[in-house]
Amino acid sequence: MNEFRPGLEGVVAFQTEIAEPDREGGSLRYRGVDIEELVGRYPYEKVWGLLVDESFEPGMPDPEPFRPANLTGNAPSDLQSALAHLSADWELRKLVDIEPEDARDDLARLSAIAMSIVAQSARVADGKTDPVPDEDVEQGGIAAEKFLLRWRGEADPKHVQAIDTYWICTAEHGLNASTFTARIVASTGADAGAAMSAAVGALSGPLHGGAPARILPMLEGAEKLGDPAQYVKNLLDRGERLMGFGHRIYRGDDPRATLLKRTAKELGSSRYEVADAVEQAALAELKRRKPDRPLPTNVEFWSAVVLDTAEIPPDLTPAMFGCARVAGWSAHILEERKTGRLIRPSAQYVGPAPRPASEVGAAPVPS
Ligand code: ACO
């Protein structure tokens, strides 16, 4: 195919057996299992197993003891750099040189440690320099509880439910920007730490995993003005995008948004009413302005509200997304490794015609 497609929209780059976002029908299946069946029945670490091993057992292991050096409290940045460092610290071997089981085990270790790194970074952001002892963390049950114990030293059951649900809903979603990045790096035969760390970088942008950080301020702005419809109009009139709306894949409802909205209500979120009002206003205004382009609520909108019920600060939301997405990245890295084919698309050159260097500027004077 030689046609240029901005943003690669609609380009089929891979075949995958991992997840199936149903574009029109509003459902999302992991290895064929609808996420509706998973939430509340299997904790995140078992869903990791489903995605990576196609089996709930043994699932993602507990993280091994690890104290990352030089944590800044900026969690995406801490996660990205610590994962890259672990390639060297753990002497991870190149994916191209190892057996599939060893690659899987590297990814399991990295996935588990990602949660520990984010929890420890969040603790530093809270101004606490003393890590929670590992024995205290081990008292916890599921991964979401251990995450909270490692971060705050305590875990409210409602917060655990919010995080576990959020992690399951966002564990995997086909070929998004960060997963594509992970697959590109894996296709070069690099080690699993390099692939994961690159994926975290891709996730940190506001058009991908960084959107929830901008959603709560939007809800607060709408509440302050007291008129959600006018508030979204003002944003759009200023040429801004409404965070949490629009998706490259879904033209119908994003099933994750539906599930997370229900969870926000069940958990008694204090932001539920304003979020619902902003959502209705945004959908109506986007439909009025872009009648031919469906821009439904995406996963990020209600994620922001659910994470808020667990008192997750907006700045931490991209890293929370990273914790969830380690499952999808791991599964895709393994799938990519199987193909053994370097990813190397083409670019269409549209720059200047051949010309002499003198046309660009005078030659430097040799010193
Ligand atoms: N608010 C206002 N206008 C929008 C929005 C939005 N949220 N999303 C798309 N549009 C408009 C664009 O301005 C564009 O208009 P134009 O044709 O007049 O220029 C048109 O709709 C199509 O937009 P694209 O950027 O081509 O749509 P695309 O499918 O590439 O974008 C994206 C998807 C990036 C998610 C986009 O909808 C967006 O920026 N949303 C806001 C950010 C966000 O919520 N990100 C989280 C995504 S979910 C995830 O990553 C897990």
Side-chain angles (χ1 to χ4, degrees), residues 98-359:
I98 55 179
E99 296 301 318
E101 315 77 74
D102 297 327
R104 182 261 176 220
D105 288 348
D106 286 351
L107 288 160
R109 291 176 79 194
L110 287 162
S111 297
I113 214 85
M115 307 208 160
S116 166
I117 295 164
V118 172
Q120 293 182 67
S121 174
R123 193 166 173 80
V124 168
D126 286 350
K128 298 191 175 124
T129 47
D130 56 324
V132 176
D134 289 330
E135 312 82 76
D136 295 1
V137 175
E138 278 149 26
Q139 304 300 317
I142 66 174
E145 185 177 359
K146 289 180 179 158
F147 172 84
L148 283 171
L149 288 173
R150 196 181 303 282
W151 169 11
R152 298 176 176 155
E154 57 183 30
D156 177 317
K158 277 194 168 186
H159 298 180
V160 173
Q161 186 191 338
I163 292 174
D164 189 52
T165 304
Y166 167 75
W167 278 349
I168 293 170
C169 288
T170 52
E172 154 63 1
H173 203 244
L175 203 60
N176 47 80
S178 58
T179 302
F180 191 29
T181 305
R183 286 190 77 131
I184 292 171
V185 178
S187 85
T188 70
D191 66 69
M196 280 256 201
S197 128
V200 176
L203 186 79
S204 62
L207 297 191
H208 188 12
R214 298 171 184 228
I215 288 165
L216 291 190
M218 205 167 83
L219 300 184
E220 278 154 14
E223 205 162 23
K224 203 166 157 200
L225 190 67
D227 184 347
Q230 190 57 50
Y231 182 78
V232 299
K233 279 184 194 151
N234 293 349
L235 283 183
L236 291 169
D237 288 346
R238 288 203 299 270
E240 291 182 30
R241 285 188 176 211
L242 300 180
M243 289 293 148
F245 297 89
H247 200 276
R248 200 44 91 64
I249 304 250
Y250 293 115
R251 294 297 169 249
D253 288 343
D254 182 332
R256 303 166 299 172
T258 313
L259 214 157
L260 287 161
K261 181 172 183 178
R262 206 169 65 216
T263 305
K265 193 169 190 186
E266 268 169 33
L267 290 171
S269 162
S270 60
R271 306 223 192 226
Y272 184 85
E273 263 178 43
V274 65
D276 190 39
V278 169
E279 182 184 34
Q280 300 317 319
L283 292 174
E285 193 57 24
L286 287 167
K287 194 167 182 188
R288 201 176 67 75
R289 294 186 189 216
K290 299 255 172 254
D292 301 328
R293 174 99 188 176
L295 294 169
T297 317
N298 66 43
V299 64
E300 305 283 30
F301 187 80
W302 286 102
S303 288
V305 181
V306 166
L307 289 175
D308 176 64
T309 62
E311 295 170 19
I312 306 290
D315 283 353
L316 194 63
T317 52
M320 294 299 287
F321 196 172
C323 289
R325 203 38 79 80
V326 292
W329 294 334
S330 299
H332 278 273
I333 290 167
L334 290 174
E335 196 173 67
E336 185 56 41
R337 192 191 155 279
K338 259 199 279 180
T339 75
R341 184 131 178 97
L342 177 72
I343 297 169
R344 204 314 186 178
S346 312
Q348 189 180 26
Y349 180 71
V350 293
R355 56 184 172 156
S358 59
E359 203 181 276

Side-chain angles (χ1 to χ4, degrees), residues 54-71:
E54 211 175 337
S55 160
F56 291 113
E57 299 300 336
M60 186 183 74
D62 276 337
E64 48 209 271
F66 177 57
R67 299 268 174 259
N70 306 321
L71 287 175

